[in-house]
Amino acid sequence: MKSKKTILPFKEGLQAKPASEITNFLRNFNSNVTMNYKGRIGNCKSIISLLSLCVPKQEEVEIIFEGENEEQEIVVFFEFLENGEE
């Protein structure tokens, strides 16, 4: 298991468009990817699950990767977040 905390770069928080971008990006990842926001866990490959976390802008979340390629996939995902700002 690999995890990293971050403040999501989305201007309006985690709403439909960025949640869709995240789930689409992670579609072909082998790892299970979850987001922890204030003790609530959401599946990052499910738009509904991400939206149910209600993450506002400038709030810290923890992204957790569990799987065979977790070390490589977490690096690629955080590069996506850094480069994919709205």
Coordinates of all heavy atoms in Angstrom, one line a residue:
M1 N 0.9 -1.2 0.0 CA 0.0 0.0 0.0 C 0.9 1.2 0.0 O 1.8 1.3 0.8 CB -0.9 0.0 1.2 CG -1.8 1.2 1.3 SD -2.9 1.3 2.7 CE -1.8 2.0 3.9
K2 N 0.6 2.2 -0.9 CA 1.3 3.4 -1.0 C 0.2 4.5 -0.9 O -0.8 4.4 -1.4 CB 2.0 3.6 -2.3 CG 3.2 2.7 -2.5 CD 4.3 3.2 -1.6 CE 5.5 2.3 -1.8 NZ 6.6 2.7 -0.9
S3 N 0.5 5.6 -0.1 CA -0.4 6.7 0.0 C 0.3 8.0 0.0 O 1.5 8.0 0.4 CB -1.3 6.5 1.2 OG -0.6 6.7 2.4
K4 N -0.4 9.0 -0.3 CA 0.2 10.4 -0.3 C -0.9 11.4 -0.1 O -2.0 11.2 -0.6 CB 0.8 10.6 -1.7 CG 1.6 11.9 -1.8 CD 2.4 12.0 -3.1 CE 3.1 13.4 -3.2 NZ 3.8 13.5 -4.5
K5 N -0.6 12.4 0.7 CA -1.6 13.4 1.0 C -1.4 14.6 0.0 O -0.2 14.9 -0.3 CB -1.5 13.9 2.4 CG -2.0 12.8 3.4 CD -2.0 13.3 4.8 CE -2.4 12.2 5.7 NZ -2.5 12.6 7.1
T6 N -2.5 15.2 -0.4 CA -2.4 16.4 -1.3 C -3.6 17.3 -1.1 O -4.6 16.9 -0.6 CB -2.3 15.9 -2.7 OG1 -2.0 17.0 -3.6 CG2 -3.5 15.2 -3.2
I7 N -3.5 18.5 -1.6 CA -4.6 19.4 -1.8 C -4.9 19.3 -3.2 O -4.1 19.6 -4.1 CB -4.3 20.8 -1.3 CG1 -4.1 20.8 0.2 CG2 -5.4 21.7 -1.6 CD1 -3.7 22.1 0.9
L8 N -6.1 18.9 -3.6 CA -6.5 18.8 -5.0 C -6.5 20.1 -5.7 O -6.8 21.2 -5.1 CB -7.9 18.2 -5.1 CG -8.1 16.8 -4.6 CD1 -9.5 16.3 -4.6 CD2 -7.2 15.8 -5.3
P9 N -6.0 20.1 -6.9 CA -5.8 21.4 -7.6 C -7.0 22.0 -8.3 O -6.9 23.0 -9.0 CB -4.7 21.0 -8.7 CG -5.1 19.6 -9.0 CD -5.5 19.0 -7.7
F10 N -8.2 21.5 -8.1 CA -9.4 21.9 -8.8 C -9.9 23.2 -8.2 O -10.2 23.2 -7.0 CB -10.4 20.8 -8.9 CG -9.8 19.5 -9.3 CD1 -9.7 18.4 -8.5 CD2 -9.3 19.4 -10.6 CE1 -9.1 17.2 -9.0 CE2 -8.7 18.2 -11.1 CZ -8.6 17.1 -10.3
K11 N -10.2 24.2 -9.0 CA -10.7 25.5 -8.5 C -11.9 25.4 -7.7 O -12.1 26.2 -6.7 CB -10.9 26.4 -9.7 CG -9.6 26.7 -10.4 CD -9.9 27.6 -11.7 CE -8.7 27.7 -12.5 NZ -9.0 28.4 -13.8
E12 N -12.8 24.6 -8.0 CA -14.1 24.5 -7.3 C -14.3 23.3 -6.4 O -15.4 22.9 -6.1 CB -15.3 24.5 -8.4 CG -15.3 25.8 -9.2 CD -15.4 27.1 -8.5 OE1 -16.2 27.1 -7.5 OE2 -14.8 28.1 -8.8
G13 N -13.2 22.6 -6.1 CA -13.3 21.4 -5.3 C -13.5 20.2 -6.3 O -13.4 20.3 -7.5
L14 N -13.8 19.1 -5.7 CA -14.0 17.9 -6.4 C -15.5 17.8 -6.9 O -16.3 17.2 -6.2 CB -13.6 16.7 -5.6 CG -13.6 15.3 -6.3 CD1 -12.7 15.4 -7.5 CD2 -13.1 14.2 -5.4
Q15 N -15.7 18.3 -8.0 CA -17.1 18.3 -8.6 C -17.1 17.3 -9.8 O -16.1 16.6 -10.0 CB -17.5 19.7 -9.0 CG -17.6 20.6 -7.8 CD -18.2 22.0 -8.2 OE1 -18.5 22.3 -9.3 NE2 -18.3 22.8 -7.2
A16 N -18.2 17.3 -10.6 CA -18.4 16.3 -11.6 C -17.2 16.2 -12.7 O -16.8 15.2 -13.0 CB -19.7 16.5 -12.3
K17 N -16.8 17.4 -13.2 CA -15.8 17.4 -14.2 C -14.5 16.8 -13.8 O -13.9 15.9 -14.4 CB -15.6 18.8 -14.8 CG -14.6 18.7 -16.0 CD -14.4 20.1 -16.6 CE -13.4 20.0 -17.7 NZ -12.9 21.4 -18.1
P18 N -13.9 17.3 -12.7 CA -12.7 16.7 -12.2 C -12.8 15.3 -11.7 O -11.9 14.5 -11.9 CB -12.2 17.6 -11.1 CG -13.3 18.5 -10.7 CD -14.3 18.5 -11.9
A19 N -13.9 14.9 -11.1 CA -14.1 13.5 -10.7 C -14.1 12.6 -12.0 O -13.6 11.5 -12.0 CB -15.5 13.4 -10.0
S20 N -14.8 13.1 -13.0 CA -14.8 12.3 -14.3 C -13.4 12.2 -14.9 O -13.0 11.1 -15.3 CB -15.7 13.0 -15.3 OG -15.6 12.4 -16.5
E21 N -12.6 13.3 -14.8 CA -11.2 13.2 -15.3 C -10.4 12.2 -14.5 O -9.6 11.5 -15.1 CB -10.6 14.6 -15.3 CG -11.2 15.6 -16.3 CD -10.8 17.0 -16.1 OE1 -10.0 17.3 -15.2 OE2 -11.2 17.8 -16.9
I22 N -10.6 12.2 -13.2 CA -9.8 11.3 -12.4 C -10.2 9.8 -12.7 O -9.3 9.0 -12.9 CB -10.1 11.6 -10.9 CG1 -9.3 12.8 -10.5 CG2 -9.6 10.4 -10.0 CD1 -9.7 13.3 -9.1
T23 N -11.5 9.5 -12.8 CA -11.9 8.2 -13.0 C -11.5 7.7 -14.4 O -11.1 6.6 -14.6 CB -13.5 8.0 -12.9 OG1 -14.2 8.9 -13.7 CG2 -13.9 8.2 -11.4
N24 N -11.6 8.6 -15.4 CA -11.1 8.2 -16.8 C -9.6 8.0 -16.8 O -9.2 7.0 -17.4 CB -11.5 9.3 -17.8 CG -12.9 9.3 -18.1 OD1 -13.6 8.3 -18.0 ND2 -13.4 10.5 -18.5
F25 N -8.9 8.8 -16.1 CA -7.4 8.6 -16.0 C -7.0 7.3 -15.4 O -6.1 6.6 -15.8 CB -6.7 9.8 -15.3 CG -5.2 9.7 -15.4 CD1 -4.6 10.1 -16.5 CD2 -4.5 9.2 -14.3 CE1 -3.2 10.1 -16.6 CE2 -3.1 9.1 -14.4 CZ -2.5 9.6 -15.5
L26 N -7.7 6.9 -14.3 CA -7.4 5.7 -13.6 C -8.0 4.4 -14.2 O -7.7 3.3 -13.7 CB -7.9 5.8 -12.1 CG -7.2 6.9 -11.3 CD1 -7.9 7.1 -10.0 CD2 -5.7 6.6 -11.1
R27 N -8.8 4.5 -15.2 CA -9.5 3.4 -15.8 C -8.6 2.2 -16.0 O -9.0 1.1 -15.7 CB -10.2 3.8 -17.1 CG -11.0 2.8 -17.7 CD -11.7 3.2 -19.0 NE -12.1 4.6 -18.8 CZ -12.4 5.4 -19.8 NH1 -12.3 5.0 -21.0 NH2 -12.9 6.6 -19.5
N28 N -7.4 2.4 -16.6 CA -6.6 1.3 -16.9 C -5.5 0.9 -15.9 O -4.6 0.1 -16.1 CB -5.9 1.5 -18.3 CG -6.9 1.6 -19.4 OD1 -7.9 0.8 -19.4 ND2 -6.8 2.6 -20.2
F29 N -5.6 1.6 -14.7 CA -4.6 1.3 -13.7 C -5.1 -0.1 -13.0 O -6.2 -0.4 -12.9 CB -4.6 2.3 -12.6 CG -3.8 3.6 -12.9 CD1 -3.8 4.1 -14.2 CD2 -3.1 4.2 -12.0 CE1 -3.0 5.2 -14.5 CE2 -2.4 5.4 -12.3 CZ -2.3 5.8 -13.5
N30 N -4.1 -0.9 -12.6 CA -4.3 -2.2 -12.0 C -4.6 -2.0 -10.5 O -5.3 -2.9 -9.9 CB -3.2 -3.1 -12.2 CG -3.0 -3.5 -13.7 OD1 -4.0 -3.7 -14.4 ND2 -1.8 -3.6 -14.2
S31 N -4.1 -1.0 -9.9 CA -4.2 -0.9 -8.4 C -5.6 -0.4 -8.1 O -6.3 0.2 -8.9 CB -3.3 0.2 -7.9 OG -1.9 -0.1 -8.1
N32 N -6.0 -0.8 -6.9 CA -7.2 -0.2 -6.3 C -6.8 1.1 -5.8 O -5.8 1.3 -5.1 CB -7.7 -1.1 -5.1 CG -8.3 -2.4 -5.6 OD1 -9.0 -2.5 -6.6 ND2 -8.0 -3.4 -4.8
V33 N -7.6 2.2 -6.1 CA -7.2 3.5 -5.7 C -8.4 4.1 -5.0 O -9.5 4.2 -5.4 CB -6.9 4.4 -7.0 CG1 -6.4 5.8 -6.6 CG2 -5.9 3.7 -7.9
T34 N -8.1 4.6 -3.7 CA -9.2 5.2 -2.9 C -8.7 6.6 -2.5 O -7.5 6.9 -2.4 CB -9.5 4.3 -1.7 OG1 -8.3 4.0 -1.0 CG2 -10.2 3.0 -2.1
M35 N -9.7 7.4 -2.1 CA -9.4 8.7 -1.6 C -10.0 8.8 -0.2 O -11.2 8.4 0.0 CB -10.1 9.8 -2.5 CG -9.8 11.2 -2.0 SD -10.6 12.4 -3.1 CE -9.7 12.2 -4.6
N36 N -9.2 9.2 0.8 CA -9.7 9.4 2.2 C -9.8 10.9 2.4 O -8.9 11.7 2.3 CB -8.7 8.8 3.1 CG -9.1 9.0 4.6 OD1 -10.0 9.6 4.9 ND2 -8.3 8.3 5.4
Y37 N -11.1 11.3 2.7 CA -11.3 12.7 3.1 C -12.0 12.7 4.4 O -13.2 12.3 4.5 CB -12.2 13.4 2.0 CG -12.6 14.8 2.4 CD1 -11.6 15.8 2.6 CD2 -13.9 15.2 2.6 CE1 -11.9 17.1 3.0 CE2 -14.2 16.4 3.0 CZ -13.3 17.4 3.2 OH -13.6 18.7 3.6
K38 N -11.3 13.2 5.5 CA -11.9 13.3 6.8 C -12.5 11.9 7.3 O -13.6 11.9 7.9 CB -12.9 14.4 6.9 CG -12.3 15.8 6.7 CD -13.2 16.9 7.0 CE -12.5 18.2 6.9 NZ -13.3 19.3 7.2
G39 N -11.8 10.8 7.0 CA -12.2 9.5 7.4 C -13.2 8.8 6.5 O -13.6 7.7 6.8
R40 N -13.7 9.5 5.5 CA -14.6 8.9 4.5 C -13.8 8.5 3.4 O -12.9 9.2 2.9 CB -15.7 9.9 4.1 CG -16.6 10.4 5.2 CD -17.8 11.1 4.8 NE -17.6 12.1 3.7 CZ -17.5 13.4 3.9 NH1 -17.6 13.9 5.1 NH2 -17.3 14.2 2.9
I41 N -14.1 7.3 2.9 CA -13.3 6.6 1.8 C -14.2 6.5 0.6 O -15.3 6.1 0.6 CB -12.8 5.2 2.2 CG1 -12.1 5.2 3.5 CG2 -12.0 4.6 1.1 CD1 -10.8 6.0 3.5
G42 N -13.6 7.0 -0.6 CA -14.2 6.9 -1.9 C -13.4 6.1 -2.9 O -12.1 6.3 -2.9
N43 N -14.0 5.4 -3.7 CA -13.3 4.6 -4.8 C -13.0 5.6 -5.9 O -13.9 6.2 -6.5 CB -14.2 3.5 -5.3 CG -13.6 2.7 -6.4 OD1 -12.6 3.1 -7.0 ND2 -14.2 1.6 -6.7
C44 N -11.7 5.8 -6.2 CA -11.3 6.8 -7.2 C -11.7 6.4 -8.7 O -11.5 7.1 -9.6 CB -9.8 7.1 -7.1 SG -9.4 8.0 -5.7
K45 N -12.2 5.2 -8.8 CA -12.6 4.7 -10.2 C -14.1 4.8 -10.3 O -14.6 4.3 -11.3 CB -12.1 3.3 -10.4 CG -10.5 3.2 -10.5 CD -10.1 1.8 -10.7 CE -8.6 1.7 -10.8 NZ -8.1 0.4 -11.1
S46 N -14.7 5.5 -9.4 CA -16.2 5.6 -9.4 C -16.5 7.1 -9.2 O -16.3 7.7 -8.2 CB -16.9 4.8 -8.3 OG -18.2 5.2 -8.1
I47 N -17.2 7.7 -10.2 CA -17.5 9.1 -10.1 C -18.5 9.3 -8.9 O -18.3 10.3 -8.1 CB -18.2 9.6 -11.4 CG1 -17.2 9.6 -12.6 CG2 -18.8 11.0 -11.2 CD1 -17.8 9.9 -13.9
I48 N -19.5 8.5 -8.8 CA -20.4 8.6 -7.7 C -19.7 8.5 -6.3 O -20.0 9.3 -5.4 CB -21.5 7.6 -7.8 CG1 -22.3 7.7 -9.1 CG2 -22.5 7.6 -6.6 CD1 -23.0 9.0 -9.3
S49 N -18.8 7.6 -6.2 CA -18.1 7.5 -5.0 C -17.3 8.7 -4.6 O -17.2 9.2 -3.5 CB -17.2 6.2 -5.0 OG -16.6 6.0 -3.8
L50 N -16.6 9.3 -5.6 CA -15.8 10.5 -5.4 C -16.7 11.7 -5.1 O -16.4 12.4 -4.1 CB -15.0 10.8 -6.7 CG -13.7 10.0 -6.9 CD1 -13.1 10.4 -8.2 CD2 -12.8 10.0 -5.7
L51 N -17.8 11.8 -5.8 CA -18.7 13.0 -5.5 C -19.3 12.9 -4.1 O -19.6 13.9 -3.5 CB -19.8 13.0 -6.6 CG -19.3 13.4 -8.0 CD1 -20.4 13.4 -9.0 CD2 -18.6 14.8 -8.0
S52 N -19.5 11.6 -3.7 CA -20.1 11.5 -2.3 C -19.2 12.0 -1.2 O -19.7 12.2 -0.1 CB -20.5 10.0 -2.1 OG -19.3 9.2 -1.9
L53 N -17.9 12.1 -1.5 CA -17.0 12.7 -0.5 C -17.2 14.1 -0.2 O -16.8 14.6 0.8 CB -15.5 12.4 -0.9 CG -15.1 10.9 -1.0 CD1 -13.7 10.8 -1.5 CD2 -15.3 10.2 0.4
C54 N -17.7 14.9 -1.2 CA -18.0 16.3 -1.1 C -16.7 17.1 -0.6 O -16.8 17.8 0.3 CB -19.1 16.6 -0.1 SG -20.7 15.8 -0.5
V55 N -15.7 16.9 -1.4 CA -14.4 17.6 -1.1 C -14.4 19.0 -1.6 O -14.5 19.2 -2.8 CB -13.2 16.8 -1.7 CG1 -11.9 17.5 -1.3 CG2 -13.2 15.4 -1.2
P56 N -14.4 20.0 -0.8 CA -14.4 21.4 -1.2 C -13.0 21.8 -1.7 O -12.0 21.0 -1.4 CB -14.8 22.2 0.0 CG -14.5 21.3 1.2 CD -14.5 19.9 0.7
K57 N -12.8 23.0 -2.2 CA -11.5 23.4 -2.7 C -10.6 23.6 -1.5 O -11.1 23.9 -0.3 CB -11.6 24.7 -3.5 CG -12.2 25.9 -2.8 CD -12.3 27.1 -3.7 CE -12.8 28.3 -2.9 NZ -12.9 29.4 -3.8
Q58 N -9.3 23.5 -1.7 CA -8.3 23.7 -0.7 C -8.4 22.8 0.5 O -8.0 23.2 1.6 CB -8.3 25.2 -0.3 CG -8.0 26.1 -1.4 CD -6.6 25.9 -2.1 OE1 -5.6 25.8 -1.4 NE2 -6.6 25.7 -3.4
E59 N -8.9 21.6 0.4 CA -8.9 20.7 1.5 C -8.0 19.5 1.2 O -7.8 19.1 0.1 CB -10.3 20.1 1.7 CG -11.3 21.1 2.3 CD -11.0 21.3 3.8 OE1 -10.6 20.4 4.5 OE2 -11.3 22.4 4.2
E60 N -7.3 19.0 2.2 CA -6.4 17.9 2.0 C -7.1 16.6 2.0 O -8.0 16.3 2.7 CB -5.4 17.9 3.2 CG -4.3 16.9 3.1 CD -3.3 16.9 4.2 OE1 -3.6 16.5 5.3 OE2 -2.2 17.4 3.9
V61 N -6.6 15.7 1.1 CA -7.1 14.4 0.9 C -5.9 13.4 0.9 O -4.8 13.9 0.6 CB -8.0 14.2 -0.3 CG1 -9.2 15.0 -0.3 CG2 -7.1 14.4 -1.6
E62 N -6.2 12.2 1.2 CA -5.1 11.2 1.1 C -5.5 10.2 0.0 O -6.7 9.7 -0.1 CB -5.0 10.4 2.4 CG -4.0 9.3 2.3 CD -3.9 8.5 3.6 OE1 -4.9 8.5 4.4 OE2 -2.8 7.9 3.9
I63 N -4.6 10.0 -1.0 CA -4.8 9.1 -2.1 C -4.1 7.8 -1.8 O -2.9 7.8 -1.4 CB -4.4 9.6 -3.4 CG1 -4.9 11.0 -3.7 CG2 -4.7 8.7 -4.6 CD1 -6.4 11.2 -3.9
I64 N -4.8 6.6 -1.8 CA -4.2 5.4 -1.4 C -4.2 4.4 -2.6 O -5.3 4.2 -3.2 CB -5.0 4.8 -0.3 CG1 -5.1 5.8 0.9 CG2 -4.4 3.4 0.2 CD1 -6.2 5.6 1.8
F65 N -3.1 3.9 -2.9 CA -2.9 2.9 -4.0 C -2.6 1.5 -3.4 O -1.7 1.4 -2.6 CB -1.8 3.3 -5.0 CG -2.2 4.3 -6.0 CD1 -2.4 5.6 -5.6 CD2 -2.3 4.0 -7.3 CE1 -2.7 6.6 -6.5 CE2 -2.7 4.9 -8.2 CZ -2.9 6.2 -7.8
E66 N -3.3 0.5 -3.8 CA -3.0 -0.9 -3.3 C -3.0 -1.8 -4.6 O -4.1 -1.9 -5.2 CB -4.1 -1.3 -2.4 CG -4.1 -0.5 -1.1 CD -5.1 -1.0 -0.1 OE1 -4.9 -2.1 0.5 OE2 -6.2 -0.4 0.0
G67 N -1.9 -2.4 -4.8 CA -1.8 -3.3 -5.9 C -0.4 -3.6 -6.4 O 0.5 -3.0 -5.9
E68 N -0.3 -4.4 -7.4 CA 0.9 -4.8 -7.9 C 1.8 -3.7 -8.4 O 3.0 -3.7 -8.2 CB 0.7 -5.8 -9.1 CG 1.8 -6.8 -9.4 CD 1.3 -7.8 -10.4 OE1 0.4 -8.6 -10.1 OE2 1.9 -7.8 -11.5
N69 N 1.2 -2.7 -9.1 CA 2.0 -1.6 -9.7 C 1.8 -0.3 -8.9 O 2.0 0.8 -9.5 CB 1.6 -1.4 -11.1 CG 1.8 -2.6 -12.0 OD1 2.8 -3.3 -11.8 ND2 0.8 -2.9 -12.8
E70 N 1.5 -0.4 -7.6 CA 1.2 0.8 -6.9 C 2.3 1.9 -6.9 O 2.0 3.1 -6.9 CB 0.8 0.4 -5.4 CG 1.9 -0.2 -4.6 CD 1.5 -0.8 -3.3 OE1 0.3 -1.2 -3.2 OE2 2.4 -0.9 -2.4
E71 N 3.5 1.5 -6.8 CA 4.6 2.4 -6.7 C 4.7 3.3 -8.0 O 4.9 4.5 -7.9 CB 5.9 1.8 -6.4 CG 6.0 1.2 -5.0 CD 7.4 0.8 -4.6 OE1 8.3 1.3 -5.1 OE2 7.4 -0.1 -3.7
Q72 N 4.6 2.6 -9.2 CA 4.6 3.4 -10.4 C 3.4 4.2 -10.6 O 3.4 5.3 -11.1 CB 4.9 2.4 -11.6 CG 6.1 1.6 -11.6 CD 6.1 0.4 -10.7 OE1 5.0 -0.1 -10.3 NE2 7.2 -0.2 -10.4
E73 N 2.2 3.6 -10.3 CA 1.0 4.2 -10.6 C 0.7 5.5 -9.8 O 0.2 6.4 -10.2 CB -0.2 3.2 -10.5 CG -0.2 2.2 -11.6 CD -1.2 1.1 -11.5 OE1 -1.9 1.0 -10.4 OE2 -1.5 0.4 -12.5
I74 N 1.2 5.4 -8.5 CA 1.0 6.6 -7.7 C 1.8 7.8 -8.2 O 1.4 8.9 -8.2 CB 1.3 6.3 -6.2 CG1 0.7 7.5 -5.3 CG2 2.8 6.2 -5.9 CD1 0.7 7.1 -3.8
V75 N 3.0 7.5 -8.8 CA 3.8 8.6 -9.3 C 3.1 9.2 -10.6 O 3.0 10.4 -10.7 CB 5.2 8.0 -9.7 CG1 6.0 9.1 -10.5 CG2 6.0 7.7 -8.4
V76 N 2.6 8.3 -11.4 CA 2.0 8.8 -12.7 C 0.7 9.5 -12.3 O 0.4 10.6 -12.9 CB 1.6 7.5 -13.6 CG1 0.8 7.9 -14.7 CG2 2.9 6.9 -14.0
F77 N 0.0 9.1 -11.3 CA -1.3 9.8 -11.0 C -1.0 11.2 -10.4 O -1.7 12.2 -10.8 CB -2.1 9.0 -9.9 CG -3.3 9.7 -9.5 CD1 -4.4 9.8 -10.4 CD2 -3.5 10.2 -8.2 CE1 -5.6 10.5 -10.0 CE2 -4.6 10.8 -7.9 CZ -5.7 11.0 -8.8
F78 N 0.0 11.3 -9.6 CA 0.3 12.6 -9.0 C 0.9 13.6 -10.1 O 0.7 14.8 -10.0 CB 1.2 12.5 -7.8 CG 0.4 12.3 -6.6 CD1 0.0 11.0 -6.2 CD2 -0.1 13.4 -5.8 CE1 -0.8 10.8 -5.1 CE2 -0.9 13.2 -4.7 CZ -1.2 11.9 -4.3
E79 N 1.6 13.0 -11.1 CA 2.0 13.9 -12.3 C 0.8 14.4 -13.0 O 0.7 15.5 -13.4 CB 2.9 13.1 -13.2 CG 4.3 12.8 -12.6 CD 5.2 11.9 -13.5 OE1 4.7 11.4 -14.6 OE2 6.3 11.7 -13.1
F80 N -0.2 13.5 -13.2 CA -1.5 13.9 -13.8 C -2.1 15.0 -13.0 O -2.6 16.0 -13.6 CB -2.4 12.7 -13.9 CG -3.9 13.0 -14.1 CD1 -4.3 13.4 -15.3 CD2 -4.7 12.9 -13.0 CE1 -5.7 13.7 -15.4 CE2 -6.1 13.2 -13.1 CZ -6.5 13.6 -14.4
L81 N -2.2 14.9 -11.7 CA -2.8 16.0 -10.9 C -2.1 17.3 -11.0 O -2.7 18.4 -11.2 CB -2.9 15.6 -9.4 CG -3.9 14.6 -9.0 CD1 -3.8 14.4 -7.5 CD2 -5.3 15.0 -9.4
E82 N -0.7 17.2 -11.0 CA 0.1 18.5 -11.1 C -0.1 19.1 -12.5 O -0.1 20.3 -12.6 CB 1.5 18.1 -10.9 CG 1.8 17.8 -9.4 CD 3.2 17.3 -9.2 OE1 4.1 17.4 -10.1 OE2 3.5 16.8 -8.1
N83 N -0.2 18.3 -13.5 CA -0.3 18.9 -14.9 C -1.7 19.1 -15.4 O -1.9 19.7 -16.4 CB 0.5 17.9 -15.9 CG 1.9 17.8 -15.5 OD1 2.5 18.8 -15.2 ND2 2.5 16.7 -15.7
G84 N -2.7 18.5 -14.7 CA -4.0 18.6 -15.2 C -4.9 19.6 -14.5 O -6.1 19.4 -14.5
E85 N -4.4 20.6 -14.0 CA -5.2 21.6 -13.3 C -6.2 22.3 -14.3 O -5.9 22.4 -15.4 CB -4.3 22.7 -12.7 CG -3.4 22.2 -11.6 CD -2.6 23.3 -11.0 OE1 -3.0 24.5 -11.1 OE2 -1.6 23.0 -10.4
E86 N -7.3 22.7 -13.8 CA -8.3 23.4 -14.6 C -7.8 24.7 -15.0 O -7.1 25.4 -14.3 CB -9.6 23.6 -13.8 CG -10.3 22.3 -13.5 CD -11.6 22.6 -12.8 OE1 -11.8 23.6 -12.1 OE2 -12.5 21.7 -12.9

